[in-house]
Amino acid sequence: MQDINRITLAECIARFIAEKNTPAVFQLSGGMIAFMIDAIGRLGKTPIINTRHEQAAGFAAEGSARISRIPGFAMGTSGPGATNLLTPIASSYFDSIPVVYITGQVNQKELRTNPSQRQNGFQELDICEMAKSITKKVYNPKTATEVLIALNEGWKLCQEGRQGPVLIDIPINLQQDFIEYDFPIHSSSIMKSELSTVELSEFKNLLDAAKHPLLLIGGGVRLSNATELLSNFIIKTGIPYVSTLLGLDSISHTSDNYLGFIGSYGNRWANAAVKQSDLLITIGSRLDVRQTGNDISKFVTGKKIVRVDIDEHELSGRIKSDLAIKSDVSDFLRAAIEIDYRIDSSLYISGIREIRKNHPQQLEQQSNLVLNPNIVMEYLGELFSQSSGYIIDVGQHQMWAAQSIRLRDGQRFLTSGGLGAMGFAIPVSIGAAAAEGGRWVSISGDGCLQLSSAELQTIIHYKLPIAVCVINNGQHGMVAQFQEENMGNRLTGTRDGFSNPNFQEIAKAYGFTKIAKIAHLEDLEKVNDLVKKMNEEPIFLEFIVDPQAKALPKMSVKDE
Ligand SMILES: Cc1ncc(C[n+]2csc(CCOP(=O)(O)OP(=O)(O)O)c2C)c(N)n1
Ligand SMILES: [Mg+2]
């Protein structure tokens, strides 16, 4: 066995990553990370997935972390490689995903010593300064030993409390240093939240006083690995529930107690359920503006609010509550399930179901559409009912998917929540596919696809089991909708000046062999056959949806 004291820092980093069993390291090469990538390759324990853009490497690491529950690793070289990582860094920060971002830095001898000088070394850039506000912590170690300390601490920190990314910027000369250091074995001390008995009895009092309690499920449930606890809590108490965008895949969609997806573009009946509730219990949701609408008073009127969140800064934020519980979701549910409580909500639930019957989601669209995107999403939910999950991009199609895909228990639904970054879906599905087998379904708008279409090559290169679906409405629909509502139909940059390539030809050029285009309802049958015949090869499906379709209903346009 090689003496641990005689390996280079780059080799040591490779060992560190291998020990963590992260599904892969995602990267785009560059001189300043080449020693580390070489060491990871030589060690041969962690797969290296090469993307065509560092932004994709970062997003893929986020996808890998979300699915494997092991922090992701993404690497980019100094300068442009590092700045290309900034978007995914922000994405994982806002959606609380643990990712270790590693950037290479120029030789310490080439670093500028005077901060007024713009640049000294080629591709020198102070990425730590830039990433400070979108990470839990940035590290710019000065010695090899400091790098190891940063790795150890960063690895722990990104998973502790409210999770999120860290960045470690490592100068190339340190990577080649021989070091006399072994990693201390640390036991991961995941924070335990202290739930007081006072809080629990206040919670019980609020429950006892409520006629229509409703749970609002957020992304924190998955982050806390609490889906089973939540399901047990719901079964025991009988409380109905609605979901935010990021909570969708942490609850059962088939239970009678599920009352839909809320928010600015939520299901009409789900927003009605919130409105009619007199006790709203939010579990791991920061209640973003997209969930509550701008007018908070409409959201909070007529009800008590209990908020459970691991981050006290969220609890003291925009929406005040009657009871704020700072707790990890799992800890809260473990304690709350002991409360002696059960409610019969059947009347309230049937009232909400009546609204659903009278306003089915697909009829929110005008009636004469050629291909109604809500029907397409329902169809995709059936077609891929056996898949591991869906990864959705940003725009109208994101809302149609959240409104209309009926997830099966255990299926995942990943989308860009806080940052809302176009170009998210394809690279995140690459990371998800690296983390877990089965079919993954990536759904992008025609605009979003063009931000990540180079990653079609990554899918083909690694033969990843991804079905790439494009919802083509010939425009940046979400922004066009906003322009139509606010700018007198001037559609600059969204329809005027926007165009698409022939996506079928693009897919073919990248090497996809299973390609289909669906422009009418009848065509859906053809896809059925195509998908059923295939195991897990890459597929490319283009849906030409009616450009008149909108993301509807829009909250506050016509509230129940
Ligand atoms: C990186 C980035 N740039 C710009 C936006 C603003 N934006 C939000 S949705 C959208 C349109 C997306 O177009 P498309 O993928 O075709 O989706 P559609 O709304 O048509 O379904 C834009 C430009 C964004 N969210 N992210
Ligand atoms: Mg579009």
Side-chain angles (χ1 to χ4, degrees), residues 27 165 521-522 527:
Q27 69 104 28
L521 266 183
E522 310 82 80
V527 190

Side-chain angles (χ1 to χ4, degrees), residues 210-517:
K211 282 203 178 74
H212 302 311
L214 181 69
L215 292 163
L216 171 53
I217 308 306
V221 173
R222 269 281 174 190
L223 294 173
S224 171
N225 205 13
T227 49
E228 210 179 313
L229 281 169
L230 177 66
S231 151
N232 292 340
F233 179 75
I234 289 168
I235 291 167
K236 183 183 170 211
T237 60
I239 306 177
Y241 56 96
V242 288
S243 178
T244 66
L245 185 62
L246 295 187
L248 281 168
D249 64 356
S250 49
I251 33 110
S252 167
H253 288 225
T254 46
S255 151
D256 278 350
N257 280 31
Y258 177 50
L259 301 182
F261 159 61
I262 68 147
S264 305
Y265 301 97
N267 301 124
R268 187 178 293 277
W269 59 91
N271 285 331
V274 174
K275 197 162 183 196
Q276 292 176 22
S277 69
D278 60 355
L279 176 65
L280 188 66
I281 306 151
T282 75
I283 312 279
S285 164
R286 66 190 175 85
L287 296 179
D288 168 77
V289 185
R290 271 277 180 99
Q291 312 299 329
T292 63
N294 286 322
D295 186 354
I296 300 172
S297 66
K298 271 198 184 154
F299 187 79
V300 301
T301 303
K303 58 176 64 58
K304 301 269 188 203
I305 296 184
V306 175
R307 295 190 65 183
V308 180
D309 201 298
I310 198 165
D311 185 346
E312 66 211 65
H313 304 293
E314 296 296 352
L315 291 171
S316 55
R318 217 166 51 92
I319 308 268
K320 301 284 174 282
S321 54
D322 299 275
L323 176 62
I325 301 178
K326 177 185 174 326
S327 171
D328 171 69
V329 169
S330 294
D331 293 340
F332 167 75
L333 289 170
R334 257 185 235 110
I337 206 162
E338 299 301 329
I339 295 175
D340 180 21
Y341 176 80
R342 169 132 196 113
I343 187 150
D344 176 4
S345 289
S346 47
L347 263 180
Y348 168 68
I349 292 175
S350 57
I352 300 301
R353 296 216 165 256
E354 196 59 23
I355 300 174
R356 178 178 172 164
K357 209 171 97 205
N358 296 334
H359 301 276
Q361 184 59 52
Q362 49 172 274
L363 295 190
E364 297 287 353
Q365 302 291 351
Q366 63 185 61
S367 57
N368 57 348
L369 298 189
V370 179
L371 189 56
N372 176 329
N374 283 110
I375 295 182
V376 169
M377 292 302 173
E378 272 176 32
Y379 173 78
L380 287 175
E382 297 306 314
L383 184 65
F384 293 110
S385 60
Q386 303 298 315
S387 66
S388 302
Y390 304 84
I391 305 98
I392 321 289
D393 242 308
V394 176
Q396 289 175 320
H397 60 283
Q398 182 186 29
M399 297 304 130
W400 295 325
Q403 293 164 341
S404 296
I405 292 181
R406 191 169 63 99
L407 296 175
R408 304 308 197 273
D409 288 359
Q411 271 189 324
R412 301 303 309 271
F413 185 97
L414 310 185
T415 194
S416 178
L419 190 65
M422 290 171 72
F424 176 93
I426 292 180
V428 173
S429 26
I430 290 169
E436 195 181 299
R439 160 74 69 201
W440 289 94
V441 184
S442 164
I443 303 181
S444 298
D446 47 334
C448 286
L449 185 76
Q450 294 187 65
L451 271 80
S452 308
S453 51
E455 303 308 325
L456 294 174
Q457 185 61 29
T458 312
I459 293 178
I460 292 295
H461 185 95
Y462 294 102
K463 301 187 179 56
L464 298 174
I466 297 172
V468 178
C469 303
V470 189
I471 308 299
N472 186 352
N473 56 3
Q475 59 188 312
H476 282 169
M478 189 56 114
V479 183
Q481 181 171 340
F482 179 72
Q483 289 170 319
E484 282 172 347
E485 283 159 13
N486 297 287
M487 287 158 220
N489 286 343
R490 287 187 303 281
L491 297 167
T492 313
T494 55
R495 232 176 277 166
D496 299 348
F498 176 78
S499 59
N500 288 320
N502 180 329
F503 288 124
Q504 309 287 306
E505 292 297 327
I506 295 264
K508 213 185 286 171
Y510 276 113
F512 282 77
T513 52
K514 312 290 178 205
I515 301 173
K517 181 169 177 173

Side-chain angles (χ1 to χ4, degrees), residues 135-153:
T135 45
K136 289 187 79 173
K137 190 162 174 182
V138 289
Y139 298 88
N140 57 355
K142 304 284 182 283
T143 64
T145 305
E146 280 181 30
V147 173
L148 297 183
I149 293 168
L151 265 174
N152 249 322
E153 189 191 301

